Amino acid sequence: MISQTDILKASILIVDDQPVNVELLEFLLSSTGYTHVSATTDPRVVAGWHAEHQYDLIILDMQMPGMTGFDVMEAIRPLETEAWLPVLVVTAQPDHKIKALELGARDFVSKPFDPVEVLTRIRNMLEVRLLHRETRGYNTLLEQTVRERTAELQRFRSAMDATADAIFLLDATSAELVDVNDGACRMLGYPRSEMLGQTASRIGLGAPAALCEQAERLIAFAAALGPARVPELLELELMRRDLIAVPVELYWQLLQRSGQPTILLGVARDISERRQAEELLQHMAHYDSLTGLPNRTLFFQTLTDAVALAQEKSWRIVVLFIALDRFKNINDSLGAALGDELLRQFSNRLVQCVRIRDTVGRMGGDEFALILTMTRDQQDAVHMANEVREALRLPFDLDGHPAALSASIGIAMYPDDATDPHTLVKYADTAMERAKQAGRDGYRFFTAGMNVQVLARLDMELALRRALEHNELLLHYQPKVNLHTGEIAGAEALLRWQRPGCGMVYPAEFVPVLEDTGLIVRVGAWIIDAACRQIGTWLRSDVGPVRVAVNVASRQFIEGDLELMVRSALLRHDVPPELLELELTETALMTNTERTISVLTNLKALGVKVAIDDFGTGYSSLAYLQRFPIDKLKIDIAFVRDITTNPNDAAIAQAIISMAHSLKLRVIAEGVETRAQLEYLRRSRCDEIQGYYFSRPVAPLEMGQLVLSGQSLPPDPEQDGQPAQTLLIVDDDVNVLSSLHRLFRRDGYQILTAATPGEGFEMLALHAVQVIVCDQRMPVMSGTEFLSKVKEMYPETIRIILSGYTGLDAVLDSINRGAIYRFYTKPWDDTQLRDNIRLAFHHYWLMHGSGRLVGHPGEDVTALQEVK
């Protein structure tokens, strides 16, 4: 029951814009004994206060400026989940009383106040409010009690039915089904009533005699030793209602209860997915995922078996090693996806060439191999090689792109050339390389003379040793440019070999030999010394200080004393340490980590700078990275090459820049070859760039001249003076581009035009664009595809489709995904389109601007001028 004390302790809020009325009501309530009375003359705070304090009664004046009592009631209605508004309305207007009651008020008081009436209505409302709250709490308690009792009664049944496993309860004496859970019904596709009508043997649990024997064994085991702790698992197949077998893992338990029949309980778990996974793993371990052909492992197993059988039958085995000619060119020009499609189509043609008993395998990349079992001479091998070549004559269709291809084939034979599988494949590979060198699109049999390739490599190794002794090695320098100032910030030293009789040899041809033979340590020491010598020469000439970066191989940390090399070279040539920079790959950093950290820390203390080369292509973790004393990260060319058109490459580059700056590191991007790449990196806050756009690697004299000439990058196009509002129009129809250019020119925009998506990406990289208008139907890439990529790379832009194409599904999907802001159709209405583009700029500046039009001080961006 509600006591007098409960009523007097109730919380009351008085809301009236007249302080006199507030004071009067406060006096009436406090003098009557109410202890929790609050008041306000500002109706706007009522909802917030009520959400915080949950008042038992709100005495609300209906006629208030700024926010009426009706508005207050609407504001607090969502806070009362049962629509019971604890509101006592105070008003002098009869029509307000009726409206307030309709909106949920519980009672009203007329003005002027009658103190007795007011106090009576307040008491009545509080008593009803408190009784309502008490009743609701009691009902909640009752409901909770009922739920708990119901849950206890259903716990066992629910536990059985909740499990995904199938549970079968059988009478241990008769082996008849007594009960099953929902999992068993789902697994075998029976309703419960039909399932209980089946025999255990019909659904695959076993014959009655075997089940009774199982029960007796468990009973005997339990009598002797107690219940088994580890269940005995069996694998068998249960039969579904539709006669499909379900592989399961089954174990039996015994349920013995005093005075009740003994129950044999079987729990079956569906292992279909596990078996499929095992089969898939087995397949993945032995078959190529792209072509479905046997992989290198299975190919060698098959070849081993074939050799063993050939020894027994006195057969001849031929191995053909096949490599596609110029596959890399096709892969690079059309993309990896179409390159994969080419490999799939070629593998299909290859399989059609061979007999059933022959084996085709993919050795990796664009290399394949065949195992042919022959009973006659090598003409069968020639015939097969020609069939493979003929299979390539017809062009491949790669998503509308015809691709012509040829192959180079190497042939090795058992037992003529070798008697073990690995040597056979190696010799066939060697013969294939000889076929490539002979002009491609041909075949060669392995001969002993082909081992001259090994001799050629040995000759190169000896020539490299002589090169060190006869000063045939030299350094070229590629400038690095500061993106903030545009000036040369240093250079990277790049190794070259002036080989007598061969001319200039580039690193890709001989550095692998240096690394394999260990000569890289001696050559690395020479590079450091030569770079320091050149730094000193420039320093003491008109050129002045030039910071030079040299690459350091991992073997220089393992086998050489890198710290001593650097210190000696700096001292010998009197070079300030800060002018030398060491570039290391992530692989080099992670080799003998503790020693590497120690060496680099000592060199860093000396003043030498340290950079990570080809960052993003290695395997170092950030946890390790922060332990190294690093000054700079170098973004690999793989991420720069398509940075203006590939959202993934752009995202990786931006992530590297952001992470590096957060770690107080500078960032340099290598391989910058276009102005668009340059400007995109500049806008992404990259610190330095290096690449052919500014300069290719040059000899020391030319490098010095570049520094002296003061050559620098072109200025940033986003400097002051650029129009504030830039519009990009992309359409493959030059007439449309011309018409739109004339239409929008009068509105004062900077207008950029592009006839292809590729040109559009270039414009976006070169300029800060706010609004893009793009045609939908364009060759190579549709408008929605183009704008979807733009959204990832330039999410702040306003993206619009303007097209006569009526197929709207793709466009609407892109709009729903946020890739497109609006869609307009051709032909357009000039006035309406100008208004819409103006609104697009308006939207851009509201979302991303400062609130003012750039270049127009004092002009509010929301002010839209009329079309003239």
Side-chain angles (χ1 to χ4, degrees):
M1 294 296 293
I2 305 301
S3 65
Q4 177 70 13
T5 303
D6 295 332
I7 293 175
L8 294 177
K9 288 183 177 180
S11 58
I12 302 173
L13 175 64
I14 301 168
V15 185
D16 198 310
D17 62 316
Q18 298 295 327
V20 174
N21 294 338
V22 172
E23 291 175 4
L24 174 59
L25 288 171
E26 284 184 321
F27 175 74
L28 280 175
L29 293 171
S30 60
S31 62
T32 313
Y34 290 95
T35 58
H36 293 79
V37 181
S38 304
T40 180
T41 58
D42 185 358
R44 293 170 296 181
V45 303
V46 174
W49 287 12
H50 186 50
E52 180 179 357
H53 301 291
Q54 289 294 304
Y55 295 106
D56 297 309
L57 179 62
I58 300 174
I59 303 173
L60 179 64
D61 183 27
M62 300 306 290
Q63 194 68 31
M64 293 179 289
M67 189 175 186
T68 67
F70 299 114
D71 296 332
V72 174
M73 291 173 66
E74 288 293 341
I76 66 175
R77 183 186 300 277
L79 305 177
E80 297 292 335
T81 57
E82 297 185 11
W84 204 102
L85 298 182
V87 175
L88 178 62
V89 171
V90 178
T91 181
Q93 300 184 30
D95 57 334
H96 283 182
K97 300 175 184 177
I98 297 173
K99 184 177 179 181
L101 292 175
E102 290 175 348
L103 290 175
R106 310 312 297 180
D107 205 346
F108 58 84
V109 174
S110 301
K111 288 185 179 181
F113 298 132
D114 180 341
V116 175
E117 179 189 8
V118 170
L119 292 174
T120 300
R121 291 182 183 275
I122 289 174
R123 179 184 177 84
N124 290 341
M125 281 194 64
L126 286 174
E127 188 169 1
V128 172
R129 173 72 168 181
L130 296 177
L131 278 171
H132 177 74
R133 181 179 298 167
E134 185 178 84
T135 302
R136 186 172 58 187
Y138 182 67
N139 289 340
T140 301
L141 180 61
L142 285 178
E143 291 174 1
Q144 181 179 352
T145 303
V146 171
R147 283 195 300 269
E148 290 175 354
R149 297 288 172 84
T150 303
E152 290 176 3
L153 294 175
Q154 295 179 344
R155 184 168 295 129
F156 179 72
R157 185 77 221 180
S158 298
M160 280 185 60
D161 289 339
T163 179
D165 295 339
I167 299 178
F168 304 92
L169 279 66
L170 289 79
D171 187 292
T173 303
S174 63
E176 293 181 354
L177 280 172
V178 176
D179 199 2
V180 294
N181 72 336
D182 286 349
C185 296
R186 287 192 301 270
M187 179 183 289
L188 301 184
Y190 286 98
R192 185 186 297 273
S193 59
E194 288 189 31
M195 176 72 85
L196 295 178
Q198 303 296 320
T199 62
S201 59
R202 182 176 177 82
I203 61 176
L205 288 173
L211 292 172
C212 291
E213 183 181 342
Q214 176 74 29
E216 291 172 0
R217 270 197 314 113
L218 291 174
I219 291 172
F221 186 92
L225 301 175
R229 295 187 178 182
V230 179
E232 179 183 348
L233 296 178
L234 306 171
E235 285 195 11
L236 48 82
E237 292 184 344
L238 300 182
M239 188 63 65
R240 286 172 47 90
R241 186 184 187 188
D242 54 10
L243 302 183
I244 295 177
V246 181
V248 298
E249 189 176 69
L250 175 71
Y251 70 88
W252 294 105
Q253 286 185 340
L254 207 61
L255 298 180
Q256 293 178 302
R257 294 165 294 178
S258 177
Q260 297 187 25
T262 300
I263 298 295
L264 185 63
L265 182 146
V267 180
R269 174 164 296 174
D270 189 339
I271 59 173
S272 301
E273 291 186 3
R274 190 180 77 189
R275 284 197 178 176
Q276 291 173 1
E278 291 172 352
E279 292 172 0
L280 179 60
L281 288 174
Q282 185 72 8
H283 188 274
M284 291 173 61
H286 293 91
Y287 291 88
D288 175 53
S289 60
L290 179 64
T291 63
L293 297 177
N295 62 12
R296 191 179 188 89
T297 301
L298 181 56
F299 183 86
F300 273 103
Q301 290 178 5
T302 305
L303 182 57
T304 300
D305 295 340
V307 167
L309 184 61
Q311 287 176 340
E312 179 182 338
K313 302 290 186 180
S314 299
W315 288 348
R316 175 176 286 175
I317 292 176
V318 178
V319 174
L320 276 68
F321 201 99
I322 305 167
L324 300 179
D325 298 332
R326 301 180 182 87
F327 172 76
K328 186 176 184 303
N329 295 341
I330 296 176
N331 199 54
D332 290 345
S333 59
L334 297 183
L338 293 182
D340 289 346
E341 176 61 23
L342 176 59
L343 293 176
R344 278 191 290 266
Q345 291 187 26
F346 172 70
S347 66
N348 291 336
R349 294 191 189 182
L350 198 56
V351 169
Q352 294 171 10
C353 291
V354 301
R355 300 164 300 184
I356 294 177
R357 68 173 181 267
D358 298 329
T359 299
V360 182
R362 185 184 180 200
M363 308 303 286
D366 62 339
E367 296 178 339
F368 298 79
L370 303 182
I371 302 173
L372 310 178
T373 303
M374 303 292 181
T375 57
R376 300 188 303 277
D377 58 24
Q378 65 182 20
Q379 282 305 115
D380 285 347
V382 173
H383 176 71
M384 179 56 64
N386 286 326
E387 279 198 26
V388 172
R389 295 170 63 202
E390 285 299 323
L392 293 171
R393 296 294 185 227
L394 290 177
F396 293 87
D397 183 7
L398 303 178
D399 195 19
H401 300 279
L405 205 61
S406 62
S408 296
I409 304 172
I411 305 172
M413 307 185 72
Y414 166 89
D416 307 68
D417 299 319
T419 56
D420 70 280
H422 286 84
T423 304
L424 268 175
V425 174
K426 185 179 86 170
Y427 283 174
D429 188 5
T430 301
M432 181 273 296
E433 290 293 341
R434 190 63 176 269
K436 277 186 178 291
Q437 294 171 7
R440 307 175 189 272
D441 191 19
Y443 60 86
R444 288 290 185 274
F445 283 87
F446 175 80
T447 64
M450 290 183 180
N451 287 322
V452 296
Q453 293 180 347
V454 178
L455 298 176
R457 178 183 171 88
L458 179 60
D459 179 62
M460 176 173 280
E461 181 181 337
L462 295 174
L464 282 169
R465 295 182 187 277
R466 288 194 301 269
L468 274 170
E469 300 168 1
H470 295 86
N471 296 321
E472 296 171 10
L473 299 178
L474 59 139
L475 295 180
H476 281 192
Y477 297 86
Q478 186 170 39
K480 300 179 179 182
V481 190
N482 188 312
L483 282 178
H484 306 298
T485 65
E487 299 174 351
I488 293 176
E492 179 182 1
L494 299 171
L495 183 62
R496 299 290 186 265
W497 178 19
Q498 188 69 41
R499 185 177 183 182
C502 298
M504 189 71 72
V505 184
Y506 289 89
E509 300 178 41
F510 65 87
V511 167
V513 178
L514 293 177
E515 293 175 341
D516 291 344
T517 60
L519 284 173
I520 192 67
V521 178
R522 288 178 57 195
V523 173
W526 178 88
I527 292 173
I528 292 173
D529 184 77
C532 288
R533 183 190 313 114
Q534 187 59 60
I535 294 171
T537 301
W538 283 330
L539 186 64
R540 285 176 280 278
S541 70
D542 294 338
V543 175
V546 178
R547 178 179 293 140
V548 174
V550 298
N551 292 282
V552 178
S554 58
R555 295 187 69 159
Q556 290 179 259
F557 286 95
I558 300 172
E559 302 175 17
D561 191 337
L562 181 63
E563 183 179 349
L564 179 61
M565 291 179 197
V566 172
R567 287 180 179 273
S568 301
L570 292 172
L571 182 64
R572 184 162 48 251
H573 301 291
D574 191 19
V575 171
E578 60 270 16
L579 293 183
L580 180 64
E581 182 176 291
L582 303 181
E583 289 190 0
L584 304 91
T585 63
E586 292 175 78
T587 303
L589 283 177
M590 301 306 294
T591 302
N592 197 352
T593 305
E594 298 305 324
R595 173 173 169 77
T596 302
I597 292 175
S598 174
V599 171
L600 293 181
T601 300
N602 293 339
L603 291 174
K604 183 73 182 297
L606 185 65
V608 175
K609 304 297 181 183
V610 180
I612 298 183
D613 194 12
D614 301 337
F615 186 76
T617 61
Y619 57 87
S620 63
S621 68
L622 295 181
Y624 271 98
L625 198 60
Q626 64 181 354
R627 295 177 58 193
F628 293 97
I630 299 165
D631 301 285
K632 185 184 297 183
L633 299 182
K634 195 169 189 179
I635 303 175
D636 186 68
I637 188 174
F639 305 124
V640 175
R641 186 179 294 112
D642 298 322
I643 196 171
T644 61
T645 58
N646 188 319
N648 293 333
D649 289 348
I652 291 172
Q654 289 181 345
I656 292 174
I657 293 169
S658 177
M659 180 197 69
H661 287 173
S662 68
L663 296 175
K664 305 297 187 296
L665 305 177
R666 291 178 64 80
V667 185
I668 178 170
E670 65 178 345
V672 177
E673 298 182 354
T674 68
R675 178 70 181 271
Q677 293 169 343
L678 165 69
E679 298 303 340
Y680 188 89
L681 289 164
R682 178 145 51 187
R683 288 218 304 272
S684 299
R685 300 182 302 113
C686 185
D687 301 298
E688 298 176 15
I689 63 102
Q690 171 185 347
Y692 278 23
Y693 178 75
F694 184 81
S695 173
R696 63 179 59 247
V698 294
L701 180 60
E702 294 175 72
M703 180 66 205
Q705 292 172 348
L706 275 175
V707 175
L708 286 173
S709 69
Q711 183 174 333
S712 62
L713 289 174
D716 186 349
E718 292 188 21
Q719 292 176 348
D720 292 340
Q722 183 191 18
Q725 303 193 114
T726 301
L727 172 67
L728 171 61
I729 306 171
V730 184
D731 199 306
D732 61 330
D733 189 332
V734 293
N735 294 321
V736 172
L737 289 178
S738 178
S739 298
L740 291 175
H741 190 282
R742 287 195 303 271
L743 176 64
F744 295 125
R745 184 173 52 196
R746 68 188 78 172
D747 293 321
Y749 308 136
Q750 176 183 353
I751 300 175
L752 308 174
T753 59
T756 65
E759 292 180 13
F761 282 121
E762 183 174 0
M763 291 294 103
L764 286 166
L766 291 173
H767 304 275
V769 175
Q770 292 85 41
V771 179
I772 305 170
V773 176
C774 180
D775 184 31
Q776 169 65 0
R777 303 194 75 173
M778 295 184 292
V780 181
M781 183 184 299
S782 70
T784 53
E785 292 172 330
F786 171 67
L787 293 181
S788 294
K789 286 191 174 185
V790 170
K791 178 198 173 186
E792 296 183 51
M793 299 177 66
Y794 306 93
E796 294 182 355
T797 54
I798 304 298
R799 301 168 294 276
I800 297 170
I801 287 286
L802 176 62
S803 177
Y805 177 49
T806 57
L808 299 181
D809 290 345
V811 176
L812 291 177
D813 178 62
S814 295
I815 292 175
N816 292 334
R817 288 187 286 107
I820 297 176
Y821 169 72
R822 289 288 187 272
F823 173 71
Y824 302 123
T825 59
K826 298 176 183 177
W828 61 83
D829 178 271
D830 286 358
T831 300
Q832 184 181 17
L833 185 58
R834 288 179 63 200
D835 280 340
N836 287 331
I837 298 303
R838 187 178 295 106
L839 285 171
F841 278 107
H842 167 62
H843 180 77
Y844 175 88
W845 292 116
L846 283 179
M847 296 297 294
H848 309 294
S850 62
R852 302 288 178 183
L853 278 174
V854 179
H856 299 270
E859 182 178 348
D860 191 341
V861 73
T862 62
L864 297 177
Q865 301 176 358
E866 295 183 358
V867 176
K868 297 180 180 179

